[in-house]
Amino acid sequence: MTRMRAVDAIVQILIKEGADEAFGLPGAAINPLYSAMRANGGIRHTLARHVEGASHMADGYSRTGDGRIGVCLGTSGPAGTDMITGLYAAIADSIPMLCITGQAPVAKLDKEDFQAVDIASIAKPVTKFAKTVLEGAQVPGVFQSAFQIMRSGRPGPVLIDLPFDVQMTEIEFDIDTYEPLPVVGPTATRAQAEKVLDMLTASKHPVIIAGGGIVNSGASDKLVELAETLGVPVVPTLMGWGAIADDHPLAAGLVGIQTSQRYGNASFLESDFVLGIGNRWANRHTGGLDTYRKGRTFVHVDIEPTQIGRVFAPDYGVVSDAGAFIDALLEAARDRVAELPDYNGWAQECRDRKARLQRKTNFDDVPMKPHRVYQEMLSAFDRDTTFVTTIGLSQIAGAQLLHVYGPRKWINAGQAGPLGWTGPAALGVVRGKPGEQVVALSGDYDFQFMIEELAVGAQHKLPYIHVVVNNSYLGLIRQSQRGFEMDYEVSLAFDNVNTPQDSSSIATGYGVDHVKVAEGLGCKAIRVERPEDLAAGFAEAERLKDEFQVPVVVEVILERVTNIAMGADLDTMNEFEDLATTAQDAPRRSTRCSTDPGLL
């Protein structure tokens, strides 16, 4: 066998495992690994400006394709603690990601040496596996096990901590005979599939809840085939959005108390049987459980046994990989196709609701309402666009008013929702989808978190469009304060002494000049203040992106206060704005959603 440093073996393992895209920052304690990457040349590294940003880049990259694992690198001490938010975002959404930290030499551990924090203990609650490797000879086995753990069962991140002397230890290693460990996961049986099919076909108004587990297992096409075989409408969760295209006749819309469509909630409330596949019954999807569960039979399929019954007890549970379950149910359905009920009438009812129950988007107000921004985004960006976002009124309204037409085209930090995730995650998405259209969506506060990572996009030529809807407010927090009858410490507005007061501009007093900041970081940026200028603004952003190959920020100045539809239960949503009553009220919604847009 060949004798080499442990870090040289690590680089070879990363490449063989397919994890050849890294994001991070070098430092004294991780420099040995960087020296091995430089010598090998097989790993592309993107230099971030902040380690948390690097973790979100790796997370975003992992979300772009089946089986992909982004790598985040950092030195000892604060680099590891900076990764914790990124690890939390990844494990919350079942995303495999490998974080590697440098560490003080083994002899210095537990002696309060400089930056010698016990990062493995800190990271354990937000990882599937976290370990400080104390012996060089253990390095290959630890990495081999880590990749298996990341990929098996419910996917998730791991952290491996490498003391400096362990990295430098010479070990015997043969990459030619190294083999990744098999990915293991539960598989539904034919008997389980038959029982689920019996329960489904006994109902009159069934729906399938398509969770993120379907996307993770690469089973979106199989889901569509299953829905078409059964004739049953599909409700994607926020993490499963795109598993079935929004304009498919059986796509019934998003359900929830925030990120949902009116027609999605209305159709769900008419259902009597719910088959959840690879979903978590997240509270923003279900709302109050009494309303959500009333009059319905539930089957829950999940790869993780402890998810079954975690939120509520289903009538029947199946522990299985989502793709394997769909395969089994498809086989059972094909064998019984002649006796399957005809759900065409039920599916048509759902389509009729999709045509009728729309929110108005065609507002001409100045300052703008956000609804008009999303209407124009649907016109400007084609169906192959990948949207990236995280949290806030911008994300909620985006989910209510945008459309997604394929898996991994809505990339969203769903459960954790850390502010600042959007920008760096979008850079990771661009790495994973070179040449494709990537559009990020942020409110002004999310955008200001980690805004320095725009320079990464400029340095490494990672072009995408970042739409910033700016109301100079912590909008979602302000809306949640309504129940306390206060508007306290949530305004970001101020008169910027570096921005000339322009009486013709409605952006006066909005504080941070995002255009100047973006340009200072090497990117291009434009500001749009009136709805009639949105189409031209998005077209100019496309031109700038293509010409300069850098991120392009489109800042849209909104009215200061907008309340976005939400509620506590699916049947008590508060609709703060006018609803669509004609096709002209929601022009891009009706033509893209309905098989009969004239119904609106």
Side-chain angles (χ1 to χ4, degrees):
M1 287 196 295
T2 305
R3 194 162 181 82
M4 65 184 72
R5 297 178 304 168
V7 287
D8 295 307
I10 290 170
V11 171
Q12 293 183 23
I13 290 169
L14 294 177
I15 294 170
K16 193 158 189 177
E17 292 276 5
D20 55 3
E21 197 76 53
F23 308 83
L25 284 77
I30 197 67
N31 272 340
L33 181 56
Y34 273 83
S35 74
M37 289 196 300
R38 179 177 181 272
N40 183 285
I43 295 177
R44 180 166 60 178
H45 180 269
T46 301
L47 177 63
R49 296 301 189 270
H50 191 293
V51 184
E52 182 186 336
S55 69
H56 298 328
M57 292 175 202
D59 181 3
Y61 175 81
S62 294
R63 296 176 192 241
T64 60
D66 297 346
R68 286 185 176 166
I69 294 178
V71 180
C72 176
L73 304 174
T75 191
S76 58
T81 56
D82 285 342
M83 293 179 188
I84 295 300
T85 300
L87 288 164
Y88 168 40
I91 199 167
D93 291 341
S94 306
I95 304 301
M97 177 176 73
L98 173 60
C99 287
I100 304 174
T101 53
Q103 180 59 277
V106 172
K108 297 293 186 181
L109 301 182
D110 200 32
K111 295 183 179 180
E112 297 189 3
D113 203 57
F114 177 68
Q115 294 188 339
V117 68
D118 184 2
I119 190 61
S121 294
I122 295 171
K124 280 180 180 177
V126 288
T127 58
K128 290 187 72 178
F129 173 76
K131 182 177 178 62
T132 298
V133 186
L134 301 179
E135 297 288 344
Q138 289 188 319
V139 164
V142 169
F143 274 82
Q144 190 179 37
S145 177
F147 277 101
Q148 182 186 46
I149 290 169
M150 276 186 283
R151 292 167 169 149
S152 295
R154 181 181 179 182
V158 304
L159 180 139
I160 300 176
D161 187 41
L162 299 170
F164 187 94
D165 51 340
V166 171
Q167 296 178 60
M168 295 295 290
T169 300
E170 287 200 350
I171 63 173
E172 299 284 351
F173 182 70
D174 181 9
I175 190 62
D176 292 332
T177 56
Y178 173 94
E179 288 298 329
L181 294 174
V183 176
V184 294
T187 300
T189 66
R190 177 60 182 254
Q192 290 171 322
E194 292 282 2
K195 183 174 179 65
V196 172
L197 188 59
D198 288 342
M199 296 174 71
L200 186 151
T201 55
S203 67
K204 293 182 178 179
H205 299 149
V207 295
I208 297 171
I209 304 291
I214 292 174
V215 176
N216 280 349
S217 65
S220 298
D221 289 345
K222 294 177 182 178
L223 167 73
V224 174
E225 185 180 355
L226 175 66
E228 291 174 346
T229 300
L230 297 171
V232 171
V234 176
V235 171
T237 67
L238 193 65
M239 298 307 299
W241 199 10
I244 186 169
D246 272 355
D247 56 357
H248 190 284
L250 291 173
L254 296 176
V255 168
I257 56 173
Q258 290 182 342
T259 53
S260 61
Q261 286 99 27
R262 293 178 63 216
Y263 55 86
N265 282 358
S267 288
F268 181 86
L269 290 170
E270 294 298 320
S271 69
D272 61 0
F273 176 86
V274 181
L275 169 57
I277 307 175
N279 65 307
R280 295 185 299 106
W281 309 117
N283 68 308
R284 289 206 302 170
H285 168 80
T286 65
L289 290 176
D290 288 345
T291 299
Y292 189 82
R293 297 179 66 189
K294 185 177 180 180
R296 294 172 195 88
T297 299
F298 287 86
V299 171
H300 190 196
V301 181
D302 200 273
I303 198 169
E304 171 55 48
T306 62
Q307 288 295 107
I308 308 295
R310 189 170 191 169
V311 177
F312 62 84
D315 296 276
Y316 186 61
V318 179
V319 179
S320 177
D321 169 79
F325 172 79
I326 292 173
D327 283 340
L329 189 58
L330 256 175
E331 183 180 348
R334 290 191 191 108
D335 288 348
R336 293 163 53 177
V337 68
E339 59 189 75
L340 293 177
D342 183 354
Y343 289 116
N344 283 330
W346 161 237
Q348 184 60 51
E349 289 178 28
C350 295
R351 287 191 287 273
D352 291 346
R353 293 186 194 95
K354 184 185 284 190
R356 291 184 291 103
L357 301 179
Q358 297 286 340
R359 295 184 172 102
K360 182 176 179 179
T361 59
N362 201 23
F363 292 96
D364 293 325
D365 303 59
V366 178
M368 275 181 270
K369 291 187 180 293
H371 311 67
R372 178 63 180 271
V373 182
Y374 303 115
Q375 173 181 306
E376 298 297 333
M377 287 174 69
L378 284 176
S379 297
F381 306 123
D382 64 31
R383 64 184 293 115
D384 290 327
T385 298
T386 296
F387 293 106
V388 184
T389 189
T390 180
I391 189 63
L393 289 183
S394 54
Q395 175 242 24
I396 294 168
Q400 291 179 6
L401 301 173
L402 292 174
H403 286 309
V404 179
Y405 297 101
R408 302 190 185 276
K409 293 189 180 297
W410 173 263
I411 294 181
N412 183 189
Q415 186 190 141
L419 285 167
W421 184 90
T422 305
L427 295 170
V429 171
V430 174
R431 276 294 194 216
K433 295 189 171 191
E436 297 187 29
Q437 176 71 290
V438 175
V439 176
L441 172 63
S442 289
D444 45 294
Y445 207 44
D446 171 49
F447 184 63
Q448 289 174 26
F449 274 63
M450 316 221 77
I451 196 171
E452 74 283 348
E453 302 305 324
L454 282 173
V456 177
Q459 178 182 357
H460 294 276
K461 300 294 184 184
L462 300 173
Y464 74 98
I465 293 174
H466 202 135
V467 179
V468 179
V469 284
N470 180 10
N471 64 353
S472 197
Y473 245 123
L474 308 187
L476 179 57
I477 302 171
R478 178 207 54 74
Q479 185 166 335
S480 71
Q481 286 187 354
R482 294 173 71 251
F484 295 92
E485 298 184 348
M486 68 179 185
D487 185 326
Y488 182 65
E489 290 297 320
V490 289
S491 175
L492 301 174
F494 63 92
D495 290 328
N496 190 326
V497 298
N498 297 302
T499 302
Q501 301 301 302
D502 184 351
S503 60
S504 67
S505 172
I506 61 174
T508 299
Y510 272 59
V512 174
D513 190 329
H514 297 112
V515 171
K516 286 184 178 179
V517 175
E519 290 176 343
L521 291 167
C523 300
K524 289 291 185 178
I526 57 178
R527 180 177 292 120
V528 181
E529 299 190 5
R530 289 169 172 76
E532 63 268 23
D533 297 330
L534 282 166
F538 290 136
E540 176 65 3
E542 289 275 17
R543 186 191 70 78
L544 292 170
K545 174 177 68 72
D546 293 343
E547 178 180 353
F548 295 99
Q549 293 294 295
V550 297
V552 179
V553 175
V554 181
E555 181 190 45
V556 182
I557 303 301
L558 302 183
E559 61 185 8
R560 293 295 314 285
V561 174
T562 303
N563 294 312
I564 301 299
M566 60 183 72
D569 292 283
L570 300 186
D571 59 353
T572 57
M573 293 283 286
N574 295 315
E575 299 287 347
F576 295 95
E577 301 288 351
D578 293 339
L579 301 176
T581 58
T582 69
Q584 289 70 38
D585 286 338
R588 301 305 301 178
R589 299 289 295 172
S590 58
T591 56
R592 290 197 179 197
C593 274
S594 176
T595 54
D596 184 3
L599 287 171
L600 183 63

